[in-house]
Amino acid sequence: MRNNFQDLLKSKPRNLNSVQNAPDDVNLDIIGNEFTKIRVISPNDSRLNLKEWIQNNTDFVNSLFEKDRILLFKGFKGFSQKTDLSEVVDLTSKGTALTYTEPSTPRTKVNDQIYTSTEYPKEQRIAQHNEHSYSDFWPKKVFFYCEKPSRIGGHTPIADSRSVYQLIPQEITKKFESRGGVMYVRNFSDEMDINWPTFFDTTDKSKVEEYCKKKNIKLQWGEDNKLRIFQISQAILHDKEKNVKNWFNQAHLFHYSNLSEEISEYLIQTYGVEHLPRNTYYADGSEIEVDDLNEIRKAYEKAMFRFDWEEGDLVVIDNVHFTHGRDSYDGDRSILVAMSEEDSIENYLEKNQENNTRDAKAAPTTKSVNTTRKNTAEFFFKDPVFENSTEMLKYKLALSCRLLRLLDLDEGSISGHVSMRVPGAENLFWVNPFGVLFEHVTPDNLILVNESGDIIEGDYPINVAGFCIHSTIHKMYPEVNCVVHTHSPWGTLFSAFQDPKVLPIDQNSCMFFENHIVFDQFEGPVNSLESADNLAKALNGNNVAILSNHGSITCGEDIETALMYTVCLERAMRLNFKAKSFKDELKLVEPEIARKTKEWISNPLGFKIEFDALAKKAEQFYPDLLKYYPKNK
């Protein structure tokens, strides 16, 4: 309760009966903080019936809502039956209450279109969110009615979406805008979260497919009646009338980092990131940085305001302009929910004058580019990068070895190595067999090893240097699933320079700006865990390490990313090597532009697109590979 009292002390209630045409039998106040303000309507007489008062003053209530966008009715005599809420919804809305479709969380339908609030365990807190903002349609109004307040906690924090947008660092909001919004990935099963028949309100798969096609949702059926969907939606809504932007998405809530560290680690280790019940990415498929999501959470925390629920309280919220959440609580609690006035992204696509917004000059171009990029992402997610069966991973690992040979990145030797972590098994990874040329690697002759260097499966020995380097990196960085090490021609030559650092001299080179380290402790082949440990620590979360007088190492969350970093690094090293002789005449890309370029071109979707294009080339050159292609893919 202390936090609630502190919020109230900071708020400044004001009697506002001077509002034009305000009825004499109520008081009008405003509570809140610097960022979020709530209009409060309270009766002079506590015997005043809430439903009857709204019936008698509907025009005033609707006009007040249009002005303040959030109303808290407090101190009235509450509803006598649940259907009273339905009547109030009808009185104050354009149309009747809406059905809760595409549910994100479990609820129970009470009566008509009245539902219970989210049925999560009382010990859990529900993060701030705009209802249904993970979709391209949502309710404009949300109603919360308190049948019974909890004994302790159970507040419904409110935050102004416009303030949240302003509180989030500008470089973060621009990332979401430039990358086309948010992609929500959901895996439906009977094991976790809600299942797909509940989500789609049908057990007919053909109806699910028809609905997804209509809503532009990509889907994949799996074994045991499992389903995965990919839905790309907005990150920001622009209020054309008031010319302000609202932070409007659930990227922070769907992302695995919203779970406790213990739970998220368990789920990732058990199911793998690609099979989590829900997760979020940028619309172009690139990963959203956890640090950025934490900044977004801080913005919500700073903007939010709490009030105490009392029996009979009713809150009406403009779902675009205000978010809601739920605090944990103790004791029984009953909050009824209703939604009305379906809204959609179509009402926000055309922007009027962009004065006084942070990206006014770039807005028309940004909109066009975002739409194009979103369409590109949706096209390539017909075969998503996140779909990785065991057979497909082994195929792509073998294909990567063939590509390295085809692109002349291994110098025809047996010294290079590529490893891939086995999904759901943190201590196991596949690696190409030692003593076999890259052009002869197949899914069948890959070897399976553990972090101790023991061969679990396979007929070939292990590359000692490969084991030392790869196992240490895999162990130190759980998010790194694939590691590639080669002695490529330009890479080996470039690594012999006194300072073999990749300079941002072109777009491709910008990919490595602030994303690579130079490891200058060359001691010959890495044959000890101590040397490998020093290398892994020096990597410090970067994707690339240039090993002085040796070669390079690239890392990624998937095979496509790690392999394409190797391919792109060779290009960058070749240009940088040739540019060395013109050093005094070089014009480097400015740091800010280099960072933006890196963010644009270094993403899983881009890497997948180029990897798949190169894969076709490798399959043409090595037709024997095709007989290993997974038949169920």
Side-chain angles (χ1 to χ4, degrees):
M1 294 295 290
R2 185 177 63 182
N3 289 339
N4 181 61
F5 288 149
Q6 289 176 345
D7 281 343
L8 288 174
L9 287 173
K10 294 177 183 177
S11 67
K12 297 179 179 180
R14 293 181 288 130
N15 189 293
L16 297 174
N17 275 324
S18 60
V19 173
Q20 188 175 8
N21 299 323
D24 294 332
D25 53 357
V26 295
N27 293 310
L28 302 181
D29 298 308
I30 287 181
I31 60 174
N33 56 29
E34 178 184 355
F35 305 103
T36 300
K37 301 188 186 302
I38 302 173
R39 173 73 73 178
V40 181
I41 306 172
S42 58
N44 294 326
D45 185 343
S46 61
R47 294 172 296 181
L48 200 60
N49 183 280
L50 176 58
K51 187 184 78 168
E52 292 178 0
W53 187 87
I54 292 176
Q55 285 175 327
N56 295 329
N57 297 278
T58 302
D59 290 342
F60 171 74
V61 170
N62 289 339
S63 63
L64 194 61
F65 181 83
E66 286 301 313
K67 177 179 180 294
D68 295 316
R69 316 309 299 176
I70 181 168
L71 304 178
L72 168 58
F73 297 88
K74 199 168 189 61
F76 288 84
K77 181 180 178 181
F79 299 149
S80 58
Q81 52 191 359
K82 292 178 172 61
T83 53
D84 287 349
L85 178 56
S86 297
E87 293 183 40
V88 168
V89 172
D90 292 346
L91 285 168
T92 58
S93 303
K94 299 173 183 177
T96 58
L98 300 172
T99 301
Y100 184 50
T101 56
E102 287 189 26
S104 172
T105 55
R107 300 177 189 265
T108 300
K109 187 174 181 179
V110 177
N111 199 327
D112 294 332
Q113 305 306 324
I114 307 302
Y115 300 84
T116 61
S117 57
T118 299
E119 296 172 353
Y120 270 3
K122 62 180 67 176
E123 297 82 10
Q124 294 183 15
R125 178 186 178 189
I126 299 174
Q128 290 295 116
H129 62 283
N130 305 85
E131 194 65 41
H132 238 271
S133 56
Y134 50 80
S135 180
D136 59 0
F137 68 97
W138 50 84
K140 184 69 172 177
K141 291 181 178 178
V142 181
F143 299 73
F144 295 97
Y145 177 73
C146 180
E147 277 195 318
K148 183 176 183 179
S150 56
R151 184 172 61 86
I152 299 174
H155 300 98
T156 300
I158 305 296
D160 191 311
S161 304
R162 296 157 290 188
S163 295
V164 173
Y165 175 80
Q166 294 296 332
L167 287 168
I168 297 172
Q170 184 174 342
E171 60 269 21
I172 294 177
T173 60
K174 284 190 176 294
K175 282 184 188 179
F176 280 86
E177 290 184 288
S178 66
R179 297 186 182 187
V182 181
M183 180 172 67
Y184 300 87
V185 180
R186 298 191 66 162
N187 286 282
F188 297 101
S189 69
D190 294 327
E191 301 171 7
M192 301 176 293
D193 213 343
I194 60 177
N195 56 28
W196 63 261
T198 300
F199 184 85
F200 291 101
D201 195 27
T202 181
T203 56
D204 188 334
K205 289 186 175 182
S206 63
K207 290 183 178 179
V208 171
E209 292 169 357
E210 182 181 351
Y211 180 88
C212 287
K213 184 177 181 179
K214 179 181 178 182
K215 293 293 184 180
N216 207 22
I217 299 172
K218 306 303 177 184
L219 81 165
Q220 286 185 324
W221 295 108
E223 298 177 355
D224 301 324
N225 209 35
K226 293 180 179 179
L227 172 65
R228 177 180 301 162
I229 63 172
F230 305 83
Q231 189 169 13
I232 294 177
S233 301
Q234 67 292 315
I236 295 159
L237 285 184
H238 182 257
D239 187 325
K240 293 177 286 187
E241 294 181 3
K242 297 185 177 180
N243 201 28
V244 294
K245 290 187 177 181
N246 297 269
W247 188 249
F248 192 79
N249 63 79
Q250 295 188 28
H252 67 295
L253 194 153
F254 270 64
H255 196 269
Y256 67 81
S257 61
N258 189 54
L259 303 170
S260 69
E261 186 175 349
E262 181 180 2
I263 293 176
S264 64
E265 286 183 357
Y266 168 77
L267 290 175
I268 291 172
Q269 290 175 7
T270 304
Y271 299 98
V273 174
E274 66 275 15
H275 294 293
L276 292 174
R278 58 181 72 188
N279 202 6
T280 51
Y281 302 82
Y282 290 113
D284 62 11
S286 56
E287 183 181 356
I288 304 173
E289 297 83 350
V290 174
D291 287 346
D292 287 353
L293 292 171
N294 287 335
E295 287 296 322
I296 292 169
R297 295 181 179 109
K298 289 178 184 178
Y300 279 118
E301 288 291 335
K302 192 170 184 178
M304 73 171 58
F305 178 80
R306 292 174 172 83
F307 62 90
D308 282 335
W309 278 120
E310 295 177 339
E311 185 177 333
D313 285 355
L314 172 68
V315 176
V316 187
I317 295 176
D318 182 315
N319 184 47
V320 170
H321 290 321
F322 290 93
T323 69
H324 61 276
R326 192 201 73 183
D327 289 342
S328 59
Y329 64 94
D330 188 24
D332 295 332
R333 178 182 186 268
S334 178
I335 306 292
L336 300 181
V337 180
M339 294 158 277
S340 68
E341 299 185 11
E342 183 171 302
D343 197 10
S344 76
I345 189 63
E346 299 299 324
N347 297 325
Y348 299 85
L349 291 180
E350 292 183 8
K351 298 181 180 181
N352 62 355
Q353 295 180 350
E354 294 292 327
N355 298 329
N356 301 320
T357 60
R358 290 188 288 178
D359 57 349
K361 295 181 180 179
T365 302
T366 299
K367 174 185 170 183
S368 176
V369 172
N370 287 351
T371 301
T372 302
R373 194 168 192 186
K374 175 181 175 181
N375 293 339
T376 299
E378 290 176 346
F379 175 86
F380 283 100
F381 273 103
K382 293 175 183 176
D383 181 20
V385 68
F386 307 103
E387 178 60 74
N388 283 316
S389 64
T390 295
E391 294 77 12
M392 180 55 75
L393 286 174
K394 293 178 71 174
Y395 179 80
K396 286 195 289 189
L397 182 57
L399 186 143
S400 296
C401 292
R402 302 289 186 103
L403 270 176
L404 291 171
R405 172 80 290 272
L406 184 60
L407 299 175
D408 196 28
L409 297 178
D410 69 332
E411 291 202 321
S413 71
I414 60 172
S415 299
H417 23 88
V418 185
S419 66
M420 176 66 199
R421 191 194 304 273
V422 178
E426 60 177 328
N427 299 324
L428 296 177
F429 56 90
W430 295 295
V431 68
N432 56 296
F434 184 60
V436 177
L437 294 174
F438 273 180
E439 59 193 293
H440 296 150
V441 174
T442 70
D444 287 351
N445 62 26
L446 294 174
I447 59 174
L448 180 68
V449 299
N450 62 20
E451 64 178 6
S452 299
D454 302 319
I455 297 176
I456 309 301
E457 294 178 2
D459 301 323
Y460 288 86
I462 189 173
N463 184 310
V464 176
F467 162 71
C468 289
I469 296 173
H470 292 237
S471 66
T472 306
I473 293 175
H474 282 298
K475 187 173 183 179
M476 191 172 295
Y477 303 103
E479 71 278 9
V480 172
N481 293 315
C482 184
V483 180
V484 179
H485 172 55
T486 65
H487 304 145
S488 61
W490 289 103
T492 304
L493 183 60
F494 186 77
S495 71
F497 275 119
Q498 191 69 33
D499 182 21
K501 187 175 182 181
V502 177
L503 300 176
I505 61 175
D506 73 323
Q507 176 174 296
N508 181 76
S509 299
C510 288
M511 186 182 297
F512 307 99
F513 184 73
E514 297 177 343
N515 191 27
H516 73 287
I517 60 105
V518 175
F519 188 71
D520 57 7
Q521 302 176 29
F522 178 67
E523 299 172 348
V526 181
N527 290 324
S528 72
L529 289 177
E530 182 180 359
S531 298
D533 189 63
N534 291 334
L535 169 58
K537 287 179 180 177
L539 196 60
N540 194 31
N542 289 281
N543 288 94
V544 175
I546 297 173
L547 314 180
S548 291
N549 304 99
H550 191 160
S552 65
I553 288 177
T554 61
C555 309
E557 291 192 10
D558 48 56
I559 291 174
E560 292 91 336
T561 297
L563 193 282
M564 290 314 305
Y565 268 130
T566 294
V567 174
C568 295
L569 181 63
E570 183 75 354
R571 301 171 186 164
M573 286 177 161
R574 183 183 72 245
L575 288 182
N576 268 255
F577 179 88
K578 294 184 175 181
K580 285 283 186 179
S581 59
F582 304 99
K583 185 175 181 180
D584 295 336
E585 301 176 37
L586 278 181
K587 178 184 177 182
L588 301 182
V589 178
E590 293 293 331
E592 183 178 353
I593 301 300
R595 292 188 190 97
K596 290 181 179 179
T597 303
K598 177 180 64 177
E599 291 172 3
W600 182 266
I601 65 176
S602 300
N603 64 79
L605 178 59
F607 287 137
K608 171 188 163 45
I609 294 171
E610 189 164 4
F611 179 91
D612 286 354
L614 289 173
K616 292 180 174 63
K617 180 177 181 178
E619 288 166 341
Q620 283 184 320
F621 196 84
Y622 299 109
D624 67 294
L625 256 182
L626 290 173
K627 69 180 180 181
Y628 298 100
Y629 193 86
K631 297 296 187 297
N632 62 342
K633 179 65 178 173

